[in-house]
Amino acid sequence: ADAMVARHGYTEFLGLTLQNVPDRVAHENGALTLAALRHITTPRILFPEKPPLPWDTDVMTHYTGLPHVWDRRTSISIGHLGELYIDFGLIGGIMAMAVWGYVIARGYAFLRDDRRCPSLLRAAVCAMLMLPVAYFGTALAKVIGAFVFAMIIATFTQRIALPFLFQRVIARVRRRTHVPIQPDEIVPA
Protein backbone atom coordinates (compact mmCIF):
# COMPACT_ATOMS: atom_id res chain seq x y z
CA ALA A 1 0.00 0.00 0.00
CA ASP A 2 2.85 2.40 0.81
CA ALA A 3 4.48 1.78 -2.57
CA MET A 4 1.16 2.38 -4.35
CA VAL A 5 0.52 5.64 -2.48
CA ALA A 6 4.08 6.85 -3.11
CA ARG A 7 3.86 5.97 -6.80
CA HIS A 8 0.47 7.54 -7.41
CA GLY A 9 0.78 10.47 -5.03
CA TYR A 10 4.31 11.52 -5.88
CA THR A 11 4.58 12.61 -2.27
CA GLU A 12 8.16 11.39 -2.02
CA PHE A 13 9.29 13.61 -4.90
CA LEU A 14 7.43 16.58 -3.46
CA GLY A 15 9.07 15.97 -0.09
CA LEU A 16 12.53 15.74 -1.65
CA THR A 17 11.84 18.94 -3.59
CA LEU A 18 10.85 20.71 -0.37
CA GLN A 19 14.16 19.56 1.18
CA ASN A 20 16.31 20.48 -1.83
CA VAL A 21 14.77 23.85 -2.84
CA PRO A 22 15.97 26.48 -1.89
CA ASP A 23 18.84 24.92 0.13
CA ARG A 24 20.69 23.48 -2.88
CA VAL A 25 18.71 24.76 -5.87
CA ALA A 26 17.23 28.27 -5.93
CA HIS A 27 13.56 29.08 -6.42
CA GLU A 28 12.80 29.89 -10.05
CA ASN A 29 10.67 33.00 -9.33
CA GLY A 30 7.98 32.07 -11.86
CA ALA A 31 10.24 30.79 -14.64
CA LEU A 32 8.60 27.32 -14.80
CA THR A 33 5.09 28.77 -14.87
CA LEU A 34 6.04 31.34 -17.49
CA ALA A 35 7.65 28.61 -19.61
CA ALA A 36 4.50 26.48 -19.29
CA LEU A 37 2.25 29.37 -20.35
CA ARG A 38 4.58 30.28 -23.20
CA HIS A 39 4.60 26.65 -24.34
CA ILE A 40 0.82 26.37 -24.64
CA THR A 41 0.33 29.81 -26.19
CA THR A 42 2.77 29.16 -29.03
CA PRO A 43 1.31 26.38 -31.20
CA ARG A 44 3.96 24.35 -32.97
CA ILE A 45 2.16 24.67 -36.29
CA LEU A 46 2.76 28.45 -36.18
CA PHE A 47 6.11 28.24 -34.37
CA PRO A 48 7.91 25.17 -35.77
CA GLU A 49 11.16 26.19 -34.04
CA LYS A 50 9.50 25.92 -30.61
CA PRO A 51 11.68 23.69 -28.40
CA PRO A 52 10.17 20.55 -26.85
CA LEU A 53 9.30 20.47 -23.18
CA PRO A 54 12.12 19.38 -20.91
CA TRP A 55 12.07 15.69 -20.03
CA ASP A 56 10.10 15.31 -16.77
CA THR A 57 12.71 13.01 -15.26
CA ASP A 58 15.49 15.57 -15.87
CA VAL A 59 13.40 18.22 -14.11
CA MET A 60 12.63 15.83 -11.26
CA THR A 61 16.27 14.82 -10.69
CA HIS A 62 17.45 18.44 -10.84
CA TYR A 63 15.03 19.72 -8.20
CA THR A 64 14.91 16.66 -5.91
CA GLY A 65 18.65 16.03 -5.89
CA LEU A 66 18.15 12.36 -6.74
CA PRO A 67 20.79 10.73 -8.93
CA HIS A 68 19.80 10.29 -12.57
CA VAL A 69 19.37 6.52 -12.92
CA TRP A 70 16.35 6.28 -15.24
CA ASP A 71 16.50 5.69 -18.96
CA ARG A 72 14.64 7.73 -21.59
CA ARG A 73 11.63 5.39 -21.53
CA THR A 74 10.84 6.50 -17.97
CA SER A 75 9.10 9.79 -17.29
CA ILE A 76 8.71 10.85 -13.67
CA SER A 77 7.36 14.28 -12.81
CA ILE A 78 7.47 16.24 -9.58
CA GLY A 79 3.88 17.24 -10.24
CA HIS A 80 2.41 20.68 -10.72
CA LEU A 81 2.29 21.50 -6.99
CA GLY A 82 6.01 20.77 -6.72
CA GLU A 83 6.74 22.95 -9.74
CA LEU A 84 4.65 25.79 -8.30
CA TYR A 85 6.61 25.46 -5.04
CA ILE A 86 9.86 25.64 -7.02
CA ASP A 87 8.59 28.80 -8.70
CA PHE A 88 6.97 30.67 -5.81
CA GLY A 89 7.97 29.05 -2.51
CA LEU A 90 5.61 27.43 -0.01
CA ILE A 91 3.04 30.20 0.46
CA GLY A 92 3.25 31.35 -3.16
CA GLY A 93 2.89 27.76 -4.40
CA ILE A 94 -0.20 27.22 -2.27
CA MET A 95 -1.67 30.52 -3.48
CA ALA A 96 -0.90 29.57 -7.10
CA MET A 97 -2.65 26.21 -6.56
CA ALA A 98 -5.66 28.09 -5.16
CA VAL A 99 -5.75 30.27 -8.29
CA TRP A 100 -5.37 27.16 -10.46
CA GLY A 101 -8.21 25.48 -8.55
CA TYR A 102 -10.38 28.55 -9.09
CA VAL A 103 -9.69 28.49 -12.84
CA ILE A 104 -10.61 24.79 -12.99
CA ALA A 105 -13.78 25.40 -10.95
CA ARG A 106 -14.86 28.25 -13.23
CA GLY A 107 -14.32 26.08 -16.30
CA TYR A 108 -16.31 23.27 -14.69
CA ALA A 109 -19.15 25.63 -13.74
CA PHE A 110 -19.19 27.09 -17.27
CA LEU A 111 -19.86 23.63 -18.70
CA ARG A 112 -22.12 22.45 -15.88
CA ASP A 113 -24.46 25.45 -16.00
CA ASP A 114 -25.35 25.28 -19.71
CA ARG A 115 -29.02 24.29 -19.48
CA ARG A 116 -29.35 23.81 -23.26
CA CYS A 117 -27.59 20.48 -22.89
CA PRO A 118 -29.19 17.46 -21.14
CA SER A 119 -27.86 16.67 -17.66
CA LEU A 120 -26.18 13.42 -18.63
CA LEU A 121 -24.28 15.07 -21.47
CA ARG A 122 -23.30 17.99 -19.21
CA ALA A 123 -21.90 15.47 -16.77
CA ALA A 124 -19.98 13.80 -19.60
CA VAL A 125 -18.35 17.03 -20.81
CA CYS A 126 -17.54 18.00 -17.20
CA ALA A 127 -15.85 14.64 -16.72
CA MET A 128 -13.99 15.17 -19.99
CA LEU A 129 -12.69 18.46 -18.58
CA MET A 130 -11.69 17.05 -15.20
CA LEU A 131 -9.83 13.91 -16.30
CA PRO A 132 -6.64 15.68 -17.48
CA VAL A 133 -6.32 17.77 -14.30
CA ALA A 134 -7.22 15.13 -11.74
CA TYR A 135 -3.78 13.55 -11.50
CA PHE A 136 -1.35 15.18 -9.09
CA GLY A 137 1.80 13.85 -10.72
CA THR A 138 1.41 15.72 -14.01
CA ALA A 139 3.96 18.38 -14.95
CA LEU A 140 2.76 21.98 -14.92
CA ALA A 141 3.04 22.62 -18.66
CA LYS A 142 1.20 19.39 -19.43
CA VAL A 143 -1.63 19.92 -16.94
CA ILE A 144 -2.24 23.53 -18.06
CA GLY A 145 -2.14 22.53 -21.73
CA ALA A 146 -4.40 19.55 -21.15
CA PHE A 147 -6.93 21.71 -19.29
CA VAL A 148 -6.96 24.44 -21.95
CA PHE A 149 -7.44 22.00 -24.82
CA ALA A 150 -9.98 19.89 -22.90
CA MET A 151 -11.93 23.10 -22.20
CA ILE A 152 -11.87 24.06 -25.88
CA ILE A 153 -12.99 20.60 -26.99
CA ALA A 154 -15.65 20.28 -24.26
CA THR A 155 -17.06 23.73 -25.06
CA PHE A 156 -17.14 22.95 -28.79
CA THR A 157 -18.83 19.61 -28.09
CA GLN A 158 -21.40 21.08 -25.73
CA ARG A 159 -22.18 24.35 -27.49
CA ILE A 160 -21.86 23.45 -31.17
CA ALA A 161 -21.62 19.72 -31.94
CA LEU A 162 -24.32 18.40 -29.59
CA PRO A 163 -26.98 21.03 -30.46
CA PHE A 164 -26.34 20.40 -34.16
CA LEU A 165 -26.64 16.64 -33.59
CA PHE A 166 -29.82 17.02 -31.53
CA GLN A 167 -31.47 19.15 -34.20
CA ARG A 168 -30.71 16.54 -36.84
CA VAL A 169 -31.91 13.63 -34.67
CA ILE A 170 -35.17 15.39 -33.74
CA ALA A 171 -35.77 16.31 -37.37
CA ARG A 172 -35.15 12.73 -38.52
CA VAL A 173 -37.48 11.29 -35.88
CA ARG A 174 -40.20 13.78 -36.78
CA ARG A 175 -39.88 13.00 -40.49
CA ARG A 176 -40.17 9.27 -39.85
CA THR A 177 -43.18 9.68 -37.58
CA HIS A 178 -44.74 12.43 -39.72
CA VAL A 179 -44.98 14.77 -36.74
CA PRO A 180 -44.00 18.39 -37.41
CA ILE A 181 -41.11 19.84 -35.43
CA GLN A 182 -42.21 22.33 -32.82
CA PRO A 183 -40.07 25.50 -32.57
CA ASP A 184 -39.43 24.98 -28.84
CA GLU A 185 -38.00 21.48 -29.49
CA ILE A 186 -35.03 22.79 -31.43
CA VAL A 187 -31.98 23.15 -29.26
CA PRO A 188 -30.44 26.58 -29.92
CA ALA A 189 -26.91 26.54 -31.31
Side-chain angles (χ1 to χ4, degrees):
D2 287 342
M4 183 178 71
V5 168
R7 171 73 177 132
H8 291 288
Y10 284 82
T11 55
E12 181 180 340
F13 298 128
L14 178 59
L16 290 170
T17 302
L18 291 170
Q19 289 175 348
N20 203 40
V21 176
D23 292 343
R24 293 182 194 96
V25 178
H27 286 289
E28 294 292 343
N29 299 319
L32 297 176
T33 303
L34 186 60
L37 294 173
R38 192 176 306 121
H39 185 78
I40 65 167
T41 57
T42 54
R44 197 170 303 280
I45 194 162
L46 299 176
F47 303 92
E49 73 284 351
K50 178 173 88 168
L53 287 171
W55 184 36
D56 291 343
T57 306
D58 284 344
V59 173
M60 183 271 300
T61 56
H62 176 71
Y63 291 109
T64 61
L66 289 173
H68 198 291
V69 296
W70 295 276
D71 66 18
R72 286 287 179 192
R73 294 175 292 181
T74 303
S75 181
I76 302 171
S77 172
I78 294 171
H80 48 281
L81 176 57
E83 291 184 36
L84 290 171
Y85 166 76
I86 292 165
D87 263 353
F88 306 114
L90 184 61
I91 301 301
I94 292 170
M95 289 172 51
M97 277 300 285
V99 169
W100 177 233
Y102 179 78
V103 168
I104 292 169
R106 294 304 312 150
Y108 183 90
F110 176 77
L111 296 173
R112 179 200 63 207
D113 295 341
D114 182 24
R115 300 292 179 208
R116 297 173 292 179
C117 189
S119 297
L120 184 60
L121 294 174
R122 278 191 312 222
V125 295
C126 286
M128 184 171 86
L129 178 68
M130 296 310 295
L131 285 174
V133 298
Y135 189 55
F136 174 75
T138 306
L140 186 61
K142 293 176 182 176
V143 77
I144 292 173
F147 175 78
V148 167
F149 289 108
M151 186 69 192
I152 290 167
I153 292 167
T155 301
F156 173 79
T157 300
Q158 184 181 50
R159 307 283 164 101
I160 296 170
L162 291 177
F164 176 75
L165 180 66
F166 286 149
Q167 287 176 346
R168 298 199 49 137
V169 167
I170 289 171
R172 179 173 279 166
V173 167
R174 294 295 184 192
R175 278 194 303 271
R176 286 186 179 173
T177 59
H178 306 291
V179 177
I181 299 173
Q182 303 300 320
D184 61 342
E185 292 179 328
I186 297 176
V187 179

